[in-house]
Amino acid sequence: MADLILNVDFAPSERPGKKEAGNQKHKNFVQRRRALERRGVLRQKQLPVAQPQPPLTGRGPRGRKRGAAAGRDPEKPNSIRPNPRPAAPAPASIPRPGSSGSNGSGFPSGPPARSTAKKNRKTPGYPPQPSKLVAIDCEMVGTGPGGRTSDLARCSIVGYRGDVMYDRYIRPVAPIVDYRTRWSGIRQHHMANAVPFGKAQREILRILSGKIVVGHAVYNDFKALKYFHPKALTRDTSKIPLLNRKGGFPENVSISLKRLVKELLHKDIQVGKSGHSSVEDARATMELYKVVEAEWEQHLMLHPEQE
């Protein structure tokens, strides 16, 4: 049997060297980049991403783990906790223009306001202040064809306690045909120093402005004044069912001032042939209103639609 000779060489064989990465163009680029980095010319985004440093397991001079100071989780040395951004605050809700709580410009303006119609129907504060209450009575004369047109010739206004606030004779624009003295008490000599209608109207309306006006069939007085007072500020004693009920009259019938005063106040007014006194009638009207003031004002507050 022939001898088999194996020639085994245990010397380490030389491996072929690694091929240098890149070409000359890449080498030039790397050299220029390093030069720019040393000069600090490159921007932050162009700098190479820094590799995370391995955590230090020792403790700092104050006994705190160094890994925690670098933003790492002390329980997991190789993990880096993200830096959470604070949550953006929720935008404040701004009411849209035209919605409740907005004044039309997009900004809140307090609680929603009540509708204007309902607000205008509401009566003033309960009970009304005496300074806000006045009673009025007017006397008319006849003008125009046959003296059938009623024009204002005297107006009296009294306060809550009967004090006279205004009492003047007034000269109509049209010539007087019938003085109606039996009812009005107006005579020709009263017109000598009478106030012209336009001036008297301005004076009277200035007093009535913002006041609660009490009158008996007061719409006739307003008509003579060529004026309409707000309904919520008007108290007509000829249309207060509570007054009729207290006097024993039907509620839906307009009773004369003279009869109501006789039955409820036990007084006689409008007597004699010299005519009515507008001051006396205005005071009597205010006294009638006081008889039912508390009950009537409370009723109007609860039922403003029945004014």
Side-chain angles (χ1 to χ4, degrees):
M1 185 175 195
D3 295 333
L4 180 62
I5 301 174
L6 296 177
N7 188 10
V8 180
D9 189 1
F10 292 95
S13 60
E14 295 183 0
R15 296 182 181 181
K18 291 184 179 180
K19 188 177 180 180
E20 294 183 3
N23 50 21
Q24 186 61 34
K25 185 176 180 179
H26 178 70
K27 292 179 181 180
N28 295 338
F29 169 75
V30 173
Q31 290 177 359
R32 287 196 302 271
R33 182 183 182 90
R34 290 175 179 172
L36 292 175
E37 289 177 1
R38 288 193 297 269
R39 294 169 56 186
V41 176
L42 290 182
R43 296 181 181 177
Q44 187 68 25
K45 291 183 179 180
Q46 296 174 327
L47 294 177
V49 180
Q51 297 298 327
Q53 297 295 329
L56 300 178
T57 57
R59 293 183 177 271
R62 298 186 180 180
R64 184 182 59 181
K65 288 188 177 181
R66 296 179 183 176
R72 302 180 180 87
D73 192 344
E75 301 297 332
K76 299 178 181 180
N78 295 328
S79 67
I80 300 178
R81 289 189 305 232
N83 186 17
R85 295 182 179 179
S93 61
I94 299 177
R96 293 172 296 180
S99 62
S100 61
S102 171
N103 57 11
S105 61
F107 295 96
S109 59
R114 298 179 181 178
S115 63
T116 305
K118 187 175 292 184
K119 181 178 179 181
N120 289 340
R121 282 176 15 214
K122 296 205 77 174
T123 58
Y126 168 80
Q129 296 295 323
S131 60
K132 291 292 185 180
L133 283 157
V134 296
I136 187 173
D137 188 78
C138 297
E139 302 296 341
M140 272 70 87
V141 294
T143 61
R148 290 187 294 269
T149 302
S150 296
D151 274 351
L152 184 65
R154 184 183 179 185
C155 179
S156 300
I157 301 174
V158 300
Y160 186 77
R161 296 174 179 83
D163 50 304
V164 178
M165 302 175 66
Y166 188 89
D167 182 30
R168 302 291 295 273
Y169 289 100
I170 300 165
R171 184 170 59 252
V173 176
I176 299 175
V177 177
D178 184 0
Y179 283 92
R180 303 177 184 177
T181 305
R182 180 179 175 184
W183 298 278
S184 67
I186 306 295
R187 291 173 172 79
Q188 185 175 1
H189 69 273
H190 291 141
M191 294 295 107
N193 297 319
V195 181
F197 173 80
K199 180 180 179 182
Q201 184 190 48
R202 290 190 297 271
E203 295 172 347
I204 294 167
L205 299 190
R206 191 178 300 116
I207 297 174
L208 301 185
S209 177
K211 299 290 196 305
I212 297 177
V213 180
V214 183
H216 194 81
V218 71
Y219 51 88
N220 290 326
D221 300 323
F222 292 152
K223 183 179 178 180
L225 282 166
K226 296 179 173 54
Y227 167 70
F228 294 96
H229 198 64
K231 187 177 180 181
L233 298 177
T234 303
R235 304 292 183 267
D236 193 339
T237 53
S238 71
K239 294 184 176 182
I240 299 181
L242 191 56
L243 267 178
N244 289 18
R245 193 184 314 150
K246 285 183 176 293
F249 303 108
E251 293 184 4
N252 58 347
V253 177
S254 180
I255 307 300
S256 68
L257 178 64
K258 182 176 182 177
R259 293 180 66 189
L260 281 174
V261 171
K262 179 66 175 179
E263 193 65 34
L264 295 174
L265 303 179
H266 309 292
K267 294 180 181 179
D268 292 318
I269 61 171
Q270 301 176 355
V271 294
K273 296 182 180 180
S274 59
H276 301 172
S277 168
S278 53
V279 172
E280 181 183 50
D281 289 356
R283 285 172 172 164
T285 303
M286 181 64 80
E287 291 302 316
L288 282 178
Y289 167 76
K290 290 180 181 180
V291 172
V292 293
E293 177 182 6
E295 297 171 86
W296 187 244
E297 291 298 336
Q298 186 176 20
H299 174 79
L300 291 180
M301 183 181 66
L302 298 176
H303 307 281
E305 68 282 355
Q306 298 183 12
E307 291 174 4

